[in-house]
Amino acid sequence: MTARPTIAAAEGAHPSPWAAFRVASAAVFLVSLDATVLYAAFGALRAGFPGASAADVSWVLNAYTVVYAAMLVPAGGVADAWGRKRTFLVGVGLFIAASAACGFAGSIGWLVGARAVQAVGAALLTPASLSIVLDAFPASRRAIAVSAWGAVGGLAAAVGPGLGSTLVDTIGWPWAFFLNLPIGALSLWRGAAILAEAPPAMRRRRIDFVGMGLLILAVGAITLAIVESGSAGWSRQQLALAAAAGVAGFVAFLLWVRRAGEPLVDLGLFRHRTYRAVNAATFAFGIAFAMMFLGFFAYMTAVWKYSLPRAGAAVTPGPLMVVRVATMTGRLAAAHGHRPFLGGGALLYALAGAWFLAVPGSEPSYLLAWLPGQLMTGAAVGMVLPSLAGAAVSRLPAAHYAVGSAVNQAIRQIGSVIGVALAVALIGRLPIARTDFLPLYQTQIGLALLTALLCLAVDTRPRAIIAERA
């Protein structure tokens, strides 16, 4: 049997699939970097727009979160039908244009609107990027490639807080957005030159616009209700109405996809036990991960009184561990499947939560009390998050690469939104004491153990895949 050419080889310029990987992952690095950099820019944004309330400034983050979560799966459908290279390039172009608009924003309304457009660009390029990586590598090497793709996000998380703090403190908050321009432009230029479009036989025939509209309504309304749950600007009745609209939209979406000829999401994907288990585990771990990441900064700045740049530097070792462990995990998962690393990583994450629950005190002791837990967390995330992404796409048919992976990413995003909302509810008030963090760590431990339990149903061992496809 003749192997199907990789994307890079099809273009004739770069026979190695790693050329396509570099282009695709550079754009995803931008998306991940942008999210972590803005943790450091929030205070500077409030100072830069003194006439805006804290609720107004919070929409710089919330508008992006709501739109990104709502658009991920529809964007995956566009990539599968319209073409992954084309969708990727449009997404990158939109992302860097909106980043420039964010940096030049003269009002908080302009900035929020530009952030919403930036989220659309990020949603377009993210599932298309993973599809490009999947398509570029043979099945035997995809676990390695997907883990490396996931490690890129870990590297961005390592770089983002420290870099963001430095940029904001030295040259101002607009550079949190201008930073995207040179990397994005390079990715756009190289992508246009290197990537080749998937052949028509590997694409879906049409775009399900009705399904897209219903899912955007459902995910957007539910995410909005979660994000604004602690806001004084929204009444309980308004939030309940938004949540009800989201649930109604989701029910309508499920009814639609059951009768549509080519639905946005083929519900047959969920007949696979592994796909169901991976998405459930992604949701649980997404909540736990967001809670801990936000908790790190809150503990160091509010309890230990670290400055923001110092806190950004202090959390860096964990994400750096993600990069190293994710790369090794991908190689091993290609031979042994993802389940050992999902289960082991989730248990290690629970152990890290127990460490933070018991060891750090009110007085700073970084090397002895904090760093060991940070390294455990980084190793656990390096085992779990890339393995979740890899296991989710391991059995997808080629025509559903983008939308199938986008479902997994959207579920993780909604989990992150819930995790942030829970963390804010638990530790969002001032002043914060050491004891206020105990429920956060207890919740994290429970979610990590639930993730390990759910992952018992995951089976992506090479022999199992071969038997299923035979």
Side-chain angles (χ1 to χ4, degrees):
M1 181 181 293
T2 303
R4 179 172 51 82
T6 66
I7 286 182
E11 192 70 17
H14 292 272
S16 169
W18 290 105
F21 173 87
R22 285 191 290 272
V23 171
S25 60
V28 172
F29 178 84
L30 279 183
V31 174
S32 301
L33 182 69
D34 190 76
T36 54
V37 162
L38 280 185
Y39 279 110
F42 191 79
L45 287 172
R46 289 198 65 181
F49 297 99
S53 66
D56 292 335
V57 177
S58 71
W59 269 97
V60 176
L61 301 177
N62 294 347
Y64 184 94
T65 299
V66 172
V67 174
Y68 184 61
M71 287 298 300
L72 267 172
V73 179
V78 170
D80 280 337
W82 193 38
R84 292 150 195 171
K85 174 184 177 179
R86 188 181 305 171
T87 304
F88 175 79
L89 295 178
V90 169
V92 174
L94 198 60
F95 186 83
I96 58 178
S99 296
C102 287
F104 287 116
S107 69
I108 198 68
W110 180 0
L111 180 57
V112 170
R115 282 285 284 165
V117 177
Q118 192 185 37
V120 175
L124 286 170
L125 74 89
T126 303
S129 166
L130 184 52
S131 297
I132 287 167
V133 171
L134 288 169
D135 208 34
F137 288 83
S140 61
R141 299 175 65 194
R142 282 180 191 151
I144 298 171
V146 173
S147 290
W149 185 85
V152 169
L155 179 61
V159 172
L163 179 61
S165 301
T166 302
L167 287 175
V168 169
D169 283 355
T170 54
I171 52 179
W173 65 262
W175 286 91
F177 300 103
F178 291 150
L179 176 69
N180 298 331
L181 304 186
I183 305 174
L186 179 63
S187 182
L188 193 63
W189 170 55
R190 295 301 293 159
I194 290 175
L195 302 178
E197 194 58 85
M202 291 177 58
R203 298 188 214 165
R204 304 170 74 179
R205 291 192 296 275
R206 61 193 180 102
I207 299 175
D208 177 14
F209 289 105
V210 174
M212 283 185 182
L214 291 172
L215 196 60
I216 289 170
L217 167 65
V219 177
I222 291 171
T223 306
L224 175 65
I226 296 169
V227 165
E228 293 298 317
S229 58
S231 171
W234 291 71
S235 68
R236 289 176 179 262
Q237 292 79 9
Q238 289 172 319
L239 292 173
L241 184 62
V247 172
F250 188 67
V251 171
F253 172 77
L254 291 177
L255 293 174
W256 167 257
V257 298
R258 288 179 181 276
R259 60 180 289 263
E262 282 193 68
L264 174 64
V265 178
D266 182 0
L267 295 183
L269 294 174
F270 290 91
R271 285 198 292 267
H272 295 285
R273 185 184 180 199
T274 287
Y275 193 72
R276 291 196 307 270
V278 164
N279 282 298
T282 298
F283 181 69
F285 197 77
I287 299 173
F289 178 72
M291 290 180 73
M292 173 159 276
F293 198 79
L294 194 63
F296 281 165
F297 282 94
Y299 198 102
M300 291 192 157
T301 56
V303 179
W304 282 5
K305 308 302 181 184
Y306 278 16
S307 66
L308 193 57
R310 188 180 181 189
V315 301
T316 299
L320 288 177
M321 282 291 293
V322 174
V323 178
R324 189 172 188 85
V325 172
T327 305
M328 293 188 295
T329 297
R331 294 192 184 98
L332 294 170
H336 304 290
H338 297 89
R339 183 166 56 192
F341 310 101
L342 289 169
L347 292 175
L348 182 59
Y349 199 81
L351 182 62
W355 175 276
F356 286 113
L357 182 68
V359 177
S362 299
E363 295 300 319
S365 178
Y366 180 76
L367 291 178
L368 295 178
W370 193 270
L371 184 60
Q374 184 91 71
L375 295 177
M376 281 191 284
T377 301
V381 172
M383 295 169 71
V384 175
L385 280 185
S387 294
L388 286 170
V393 300
S394 65
R395 303 187 183 189
L396 292 179
H400 294 275
Y401 276 166
V403 75
S405 63
V407 167
N408 181 255
Q409 292 159 31
I411 288 171
R412 177 186 164 189
Q413 182 67 17
I414 295 171
S416 296
V417 168
I418 294 174
V420 170
L422 284 173
V424 169
L426 291 171
I427 58 173
R429 61 188 181 277
L430 292 173
I432 312 175
R434 156 84 172 116
T435 53
D436 294 324
F437 285 81
L438 301 184
L440 183 143
Y441 296 136
Q442 290 163 350
T443 305
Q444 173 204 322
I445 293 167
L447 289 166
L449 294 175
L450 176 60
T451 300
L453 184 64
L454 290 168
C455 289
L456 291 175
V458 172
D459 187 1
T460 60
R461 291 171 296 174
R463 284 179 297 178
I465 296 173
I466 292 169
E468 181 178 284
R469 292 178 176 173

